[in-house]
């Protein structure tokens, strides 16, 4: 089978990582990435060997800066089977019609609404729903995190209700504009949008979410309380989460007490950009009392959605029908393993 040709529109936090992950697949070819301005990131992309494509009105700025481009955005559409749109939230929707007119498939990110595509994606919860689709959307980092853990638990013990508080990172590490840099900011619009976003994939799940922005850039942290339809034990939940794809159990008593040590572990594992693609669950913080389950999980917002984007490409481009085979292939390429 010939390789699927992929373009990445928007080369920021998510786009850079999607580009590297596509380049690491043996069944995909990275045609190029787009930048709107000739910044250091554009030069770094060129240094990595990626072709740059730019919107029509950016061509002159790149010429003036002496940064070489391979063509315009529309030129890129002519060379790809699928675009992964990684532009900022609500910018992607402006491109939707362009992709459709150009006859290319497109994946959007969690900053866009479910209504833009009518299909949302998670690798293990609903891989087949994007099969052959022209448009799909990989849900946000927090939603991906909740689906990775709640879906396997719900499959085994139906979840009657889930209550989640999301302690959100204030900004990504490379972002010096957003805050707060001191203080905790509650989201006063309640319940937050995270619950409905989970329901775009698990519509039957009763889930209520609140969120607080905290002065950290490393990861989000979720506190989860779930009422299960039947009583179980802590050990059974640990076993389910140990087996769940892209979930990593860690233990406080091994020295991983905070998200700082989780990021240090990612560095020790030698991951690309020090990424932690898995959802981190503190094993010694899982507790079942009767039919009430409590646990904490951490989400590396910059990277957990990257493997899902790769699987979404395979589903939309009909490259691999079996979700678990795609997940295994993606995981092997990114160094995600249950044994490390
Ligand atoms: P970002 O701001 O880091 O990157 C966006 C990139 O798009 C930048 O390079 C910017 O220059 C470029 N861009 C801006 N306007 C453009 C345009 N009109 N055409 C082409 N490129 C344009 O944003 P991000 O954090 O990577 O977020 C991208 C998407 O991923 C959003 O939908 C976001 O909600 C979602 N997402 C972000 C995170 C996260 O924590 N950063 C996690 C999961 C999902």
């Amino acid at each position: 089978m010939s390789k699927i040709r992929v373009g990445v529109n928007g080369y920021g936090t998510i786009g850079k990582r999607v580009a590297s992950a596509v380049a690491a697949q043996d069944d995909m070819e990275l045609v190029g990435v787009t930048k709107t301005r000739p910044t250091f990131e554009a030069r770094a992309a060129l240094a990595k060997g990626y072709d740059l494509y730019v919107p029509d009105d950016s061509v002159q700025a790149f010429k003036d800066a002496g940064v070489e481009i391979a063509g315009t955005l529309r030129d890129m559409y002519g060379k790809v089977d699928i675009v992964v749109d990684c532009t900022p939230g609500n910018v992607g929707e402006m491109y939707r019609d362009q992709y459709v007119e150009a006859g290319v498939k497109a994946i959007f990110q969690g900053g866009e609404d479910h209504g833009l595509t009518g299909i949302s994606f998670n690798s293990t919860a609903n891989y087949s729903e994007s099969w052959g689709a022209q448009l799909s959307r990989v849900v946000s980092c927090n939603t991906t995190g909740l689906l990775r853990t709640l879906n396997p638990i719900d499959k085994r013990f139906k979840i009657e209700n889930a209550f989640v508080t999301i302690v959100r990172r204030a900004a990504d590490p490379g972002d010096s504009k957003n805050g707060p840099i001191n203080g905790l900011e509650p989201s006063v619009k309640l319940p937050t949008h995270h619950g409905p976003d989970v329901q775009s994939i698990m519509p039957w799940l009763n889930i209520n979410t609140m969120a607080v922005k905290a002065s950290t850039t490393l990861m989000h942290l979720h506190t989860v309380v779930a009422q299960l339809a039947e009583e179980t034990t802590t050990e059974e939940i640990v076993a389910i989460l140990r087996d769940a794809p892209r979930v990593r159990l860690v233990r406080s008593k091994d020295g991983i007490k905070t998200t700082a040590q989780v990021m240090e572990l990612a560095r020790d594992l030698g991951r690309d950009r020090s990424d932690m693609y898995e959802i981190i669950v503190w094993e010694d913080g899982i507790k079942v009392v009767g039919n009430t389950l409590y646990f904490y999980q951490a989400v590396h917002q910059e990277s957990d959605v990257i493997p899902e984007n790769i699987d979404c490409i395979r589903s939309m481009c009909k490259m691999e029908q079996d979700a678990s085979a795609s997940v295994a292939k993606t995981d092997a390429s990114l160094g995600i393993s249950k044994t490390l």
Side-chain angles (χ1 to χ4, degrees):
M1 188 182 172
S2 58
K3 292 187 180 189
I4 290 293
R5 300 164 307 162
V6 184
V8 175
N9 187 17
Y11 193 70
T13 303
I14 301 298
K16 290 174 192 182
R17 290 170 167 80
V18 169
S20 305
V22 167
Q25 307 308 309
D26 62 10
D27 52 355
M28 298 178 195
E29 176 197 343
L30 179 69
V31 171
V33 302
T34 72
K35 279 304 288 176
T36 51
R37 286 176 298 124
T39 58
F40 74 95
E41 290 165 306
R43 291 179 198 272
L46 276 180
K48 274 178 159 285
Y50 301 164
D51 280 349
L52 282 179
Y53 293 85
V54 307
D56 291 344
D57 56 4
S58 299
V59 172
Q60 194 56 48
F62 279 77
K63 266 194 191 146
D64 293 347
V67 177
E68 188 192 340
I69 63 168
T72 65
L73 196 47
R74 285 176 198 279
D75 293 331
M76 188 177 84
Y77 298 155
K79 298 180 187 173
V80 301
D81 302 300
I82 186 163
V83 173
V84 185
D85 185 296
C86 301
T87 60
N90 301 318
V91 172
E93 69 178 68
M94 298 181 339
Y95 281 107
R96 181 190 181 280
D97 292 347
Q98 271 188 34
Y99 302 145
V100 172
E101 273 166 35
V104 294
K105 292 176 184 278
I107 297 176
F108 296 89
Q109 306 302 314
E112 308 302 323
D113 292 337
H114 172 75
L116 184 69
T117 54
I119 309 176
S120 291
F121 181 87
N122 174 264
S123 299
T124 43
N126 75 339
Y127 180 90
S128 60
E129 278 180 42
S130 292
W131 186 252
Q134 174 152 22
L135 305 174
S136 189
R137 177 186 78 119
V138 170
V139 292
S140 76
C141 51
N142 282 311
T143 305
T144 297
L146 290 167
L147 289 163
R148 291 240 186 104
T149 50
L150 295 183
N151 185 58
I153 294 169
D154 182 63
K155 270 191 183 150
R156 173 66 186 81
F157 303 102
K158 187 177 157 26
I159 296 174
E160 303 278 16
N161 274 299
F163 302 92
V164 179
T165 299
I166 298 172
V167 182
R168 296 175 53 202
R169 61 90 179 99
D172 286 336
D175 173 1
S176 52
K177 283 193 215 141
N178 287 304
I181 58 165
N182 183 23
L184 298 166
E185 181 185 321
S187 294
V188 291
K189 202 171 159 217
L190 292 170
T192 61
H193 68 276
H194 307 94
D197 208 29
V198 171
Q199 288 166 333
S200 70
I201 290 186
M202 294 176 68
W204 59 88
L205 186 70
N206 287 322
I207 176 165
N208 293 285
T209 51
M210 298 175 78
V212 179
K213 239 200 242 181
S215 315
T216 180
T217 61
L218 301 179
M219 300 182 87
H220 302 296
L221 185 121
H222 300 170
T223 72
V224 182
V225 182
Q227 303 286 348
L228 308 178
E230 54 183 290
E231 293 196 1
T232 181
T233 61
T234 301
E235 291 70 30
E236 279 201 81
I237 297 294
V238 168
I240 291 171
L241 293 177
R242 181 169 289 129
D243 285 349
R246 297 176 186 156
V247 173
R248 176 183 282 265
L249 297 183
V250 299
R251 295 188 302 183
S252 245
K253 60 183 175 203
D254 292 336
I256 302 187
K257 293 185 186 297
T258 76
T259 51
Q261 288 89 45
V262 174
M263 288 288 89
E264 187 62 14
L265 172 62
R267 286 188 279 269
D268 283 352
L269 292 173
R271 293 279 175 82
D272 191 34
R273 296 179 194 272
S274 304
D275 284 339
M276 181 56 80
Y277 305 105
E278 303 96 315
I279 302 308
I280 298 296
V281 179
W282 273 268
E283 181 177 337
D284 38 6
I286 301 173
K287 178 82 181 167
V288 176
V289 181
N291 66 345
T292 304
L293 162 66
Y294 306 84
F295 66 97
Y296 299 98
Q297 63 178 30
V299 171
H300 186 222
Q301 75 281 351
E302 297 177 284
S303 71
D304 70 322
V305 299
I306 305 308
E308 316 302 287
N309 273 276
I310 298 300
D311 296 328
C312 191
I313 293 171
R314 287 210 185 88
S315 178
M316 291 172 70
C317 297
K318 297 187 170 180
M319 298 161 73
E320 172 55 70
Q321 206 151 10
D322 178 11
S324 52
S326 178
V327 167
K329 188 171 174 61
T330 305
D331 286 0
S333 72
L334 298 179
I336 303 171
S337 156
K338 286 279 181 192
T339 54
L340 282 175

